[in-house]
Amino acid sequence: MLSMTSTLSEAAAPEVRAAVAQLPAYVAGKSAQSDLTAALASNESHFPPLPSVITAISAEADRIHRYPSMGAVEAREAIAGHFGVSPEEIAAGPGSSGVLQQIISAVCGHGDEVVYAWRSFEAYPILVAVAGAVSVPVPLLASEHHDLPAMAAAITDRTRLVILCSPNNPTGVSINPEALEEFLQSVPPRVLVVLDEAYVEFQRGPGVDSLDFYRRYPNLCILRTFSKAYGLAGLRIGYAIARPGIAEGLRRTAVPFGVNRMAQAAAVASLAAADEILERTGAVAQERTRVIQALRGYGWDVPDSQANFYWIRASDELRERLLDALSGADILARGYAVDGVRITLADAATNDRVLAVLADRERLCPGEHLHETSR
């Protein structure tokens, strides 16, 4: 009797959806194993938390037995005030990835299409598949930029969402304002365009004024995070700026109380520390210029990153040689099958450790000519 019951139970065992079973696992960057390890795989800030942020977090410690505000009201109000929009135009979630999941859930049904560039942020195809929607990846240009005309051409009657990543993760390049203008003019008003600006605080020089575009294009949604430049990766809070109707939909698809008390308080304190954040991102930008110039001097073909990382396009063989060489120097970087290697910027001493490994390009790329790319 027990055997028959066991057999029946096994035959009727619950199963996850086929789409979920086939999902690739999100591959997080490796964490440091010791104080000597340079953890440059996850684009985390190398700066310690700001004192004012630590104070704000500590003040919440005595209240963690209480739920946070539903809908992250205080954080939304601070974000709205910072950008000159209304709180009704803000939706918050556990990191920009969490907010993006809310966006996809709010606007996409089963079989609807989502267009995005590839390679771009690794979570895009995963979140689309979880929602039962269909990914429409559009290859990057040889320059590592979004191919916006091709993305516009990929929009069909089934398209509900287009995701643009600027600066793009993992290539680091930003979208040109004129190209974005032309693209948005070509997108049907019914299609929501999400501009993922997770790294925009590191942008220097000419760039997209996303708030200006947002005011002029009702179907544009801005997606940002406190994980990178603000250094709150461990607390998980991101946000979207969208028209009230869309933002309300994002709040409705959010997990109740999904942004904890400490994350909300830290976000408010971080916005109040704008000068300190600007100083920190400026230091990263200076190091970025120095490091990229040095790498180009060694013969590496590195695009003009506007993020807190840089990109080396590489074949699988070269990718493994690079990762092995860096690992041998106790440096963790992020490798992408078929495409290349992404390395996070840190302090000058750590960046010099990376440069010391990559200085001998001929040893790492035997038989290749200088500036020869694998693309």
Side-chain angles (χ1 to χ4, degrees):
M1 183 68 177
L2 180 60
S3 176
M4 181 179 295
T5 302
S6 175
T7 301
L8 289 173
S9 298
E10 290 174 4
E15 295 181 354
V16 300
R17 291 187 292 124
V20 173
Q22 295 168 7
L23 285 176
Y26 179 84
V27 181
K30 294 181 179 179
S31 300
Q33 301 301 309
S34 74
D35 291 340
L36 297 177
T37 302
L40 308 182
S42 296
N43 296 340
E44 298 158 321
S45 173
H46 65 282
F47 292 105
L50 291 169
S52 59
V53 173
I54 293 177
T55 298
I57 294 171
S58 300
E60 290 299 318
D62 292 337
R63 294 191 283 269
I64 60 172
H65 61 300
R66 303 295 185 188
Y67 285 111
S69 68
M70 184 69 173
V73 175
E74 290 186 2
R76 283 172 47 218
E77 289 177 347
I79 294 167
H82 187 76
F83 291 108
V85 299
S86 70
E88 288 70 32
E89 295 172 89
I90 306 295
S96 57
S97 298
V99 180
L100 181 58
Q101 186 169 36
Q102 294 163 215
I103 292 171
I104 297 172
S105 297
V107 303
C108 293
H110 182 77
D112 288 338
E113 294 175 352
V114 181
V115 176
Y116 53 83
W118 195 255
R119 179 172 289 270
S120 194
F121 183 35
E122 190 173 355
Y124 294 162
I126 297 174
L127 296 178
V128 171
V130 167
V134 177
S135 284
V136 182
V138 177
L140 296 172
L141 295 167
S143 62
E144 308 291 3
H145 285 268
H146 285 46
D147 188 343
L148 293 177
M151 293 181 73
I155 295 173
T156 70
D157 291 341
R158 295 294 299 172
T159 305
R160 294 293 177 269
L161 180 66
V162 175
I163 307 172
L164 308 176
C165 189
S166 182
N168 185 46
N169 177 19
T171 64
V173 298
S174 293
I175 293 175
N176 178 283
E178 291 76 19
L180 179 60
E181 186 85 55
E182 185 176 349
F183 175 78
L184 290 174
Q185 289 177 355
S186 69
V187 175
R190 62 173 178 80
V191 175
L192 183 67
V193 178
V194 171
L195 183 59
D196 183 350
E197 295 188 309
Y199 300 92
V200 73
E201 290 86 2
F202 299 103
Q203 177 95 36
R204 291 298 182 273
V208 169
D209 182 348
S210 54
L211 283 170
D212 173 64
F213 279 95
Y214 169 72
R215 294 183 183 102
R216 294 188 290 112
Y217 291 93
N219 62 330
L220 181 65
C221 169
I222 299 171
L223 179 64
R224 293 189 179 182
T225 185
F226 285 95
S227 295
K228 306 303 182 182
Y230 292 96
L232 303 186
L235 288 179
R236 312 303 301 131
I237 178 168
Y239 59 94
I241 304 174
R243 291 300 189 272
I246 295 295
E248 172 62 20
L250 307 192
R251 294 192 291 271
R252 291 189 179 200
T253 57
V255 174
F257 308 109
V259 182
N260 67 65
R261 301 185 69 99
M262 292 183 175
Q264 293 186 40
V268 174
S270 294
L271 290 174
D275 290 344
E276 293 169 281
I277 297 300
L278 184 62
E279 182 179 350
R280 289 184 169 193
T281 55
V284 171
Q286 285 186 333
E287 273 297 286
R288 180 176 66 207
T289 298
R290 181 182 75 88
V291 169
I292 289 177
Q293 287 179 346
L295 289 171
R296 288 172 176 170
Y298 300 151
W300 297 102
D301 188 5
V302 183
D304 290 320
S305 174
Q306 288 294 323
N308 68 332
F309 57 84
Y310 50 96
W311 172 251
I312 298 175
R313 174 69 60 173
S315 65
D316 284 341
E317 182 181 358
L318 176 56
R319 183 194 75 238
E320 290 307 305
R321 283 202 297 269
L322 289 173
L323 294 177
D324 287 346
L326 291 167
S327 179
D330 210 7
I331 299 167
L332 301 178
R334 181 67 180 271
Y336 294 83
V338 181
D339 291 316
V341 176
R342 186 195 71 193
I343 304 173
T344 306
L345 290 153
D347 60 277
T350 302
N351 295 332
D352 284 342
R353 289 173 58 186
V354 178
L355 291 175
V357 173
L358 300 181
D360 190 356
R361 186 181 185 279
E362 291 186 0
R363 178 180 63 83
L364 292 167
C365 308
E368 290 188 15
H369 298 294
L370 289 183
H371 300 293
E372 180 181 359
T373 64
S374 60
R375 185 150 184 154

